[in-house]
Amino acid sequence: PYSSMQEVLEVTGSADSLPDNFDELCYVKSTKLSVAGTYLQCWENTRLNFQGAENIKRAWFGDPKAPWEDKRGVDCTQAVLSRIQSKHSVVASCACLGCDPAAGVWKQ
């Protein structure tokens, strides 16, 4: 995994050199997903499909033992909203969200 989108671009050269099916390459079927009221939680490499972004209030990606802590995760609300608005889906992954906030940890 890469620690930032900049590292991905250094390897690939530019966003233009990424394959058209880059989103599909990130795809892993969901096996760990939980819903409680208006709260949705998923594990790393899970694709979430949405019809609209109007119900997304906050999004965080990182170490599940330290939820919402900046040192072990990142607020990725804007990245999630952007992907949902343009593609109607987002993959909870380092590559698709642009960073690895907790290297070596299976993230949520």
Side-chain angles (χ1 to χ4, degrees), residues 10 12 17-18 40 50 55 75-76 99 102 106 108:
E10 287 173 9
T12 61
S17 66
L18 294 174
L40 176 77
F50 293 89
N55 291 321
D75 181 323
C76 57
C99 68
W106 188 245
Q108 289 185 330

Side-chain angles (χ1 to χ4, degrees), residues 24-103:
E24 286 77 23
L25 296 175
C26 295
Y27 180 76
V28 175
K29 285 188 175 182
S30 173
T31 56
K32 299 259 183 176
L33 181 70
S34 64
V35 178
T38 60
Y39 181 76
L40 176 77
Q41 182 176 356
C42 68
W43 285 97
E44 188 171 6
N45 296 325
T46 301
R47 177 181 295 274
L48 302 172
N49 297 306
F50 293 89
Q51 291 302 314
E54 62 276 352
N55 291 321
I56 298 172
K57 305 301 180 208
R58 294 191 325 167
W60 181 86
F61 182 64
D63 185 346
K65 292 181 181 177
W68 298 100
E69 290 184 19
D70 290 340
K71 293 179 183 177
R72 300 295 297 157
V74 294
D75 181 323
C76 57
T77 305
Q78 290 306 312
V80 168
L81 289 172
S82 176
R83 298 215 31 112
I84 296 301
Q85 290 168 346
S86 66
K87 306 227 183 236
H88 301 288
S89 71
V90 65
V91 177
S93 72
C94 300
C96 292
L97 294 175
C99 68
D100 186 351

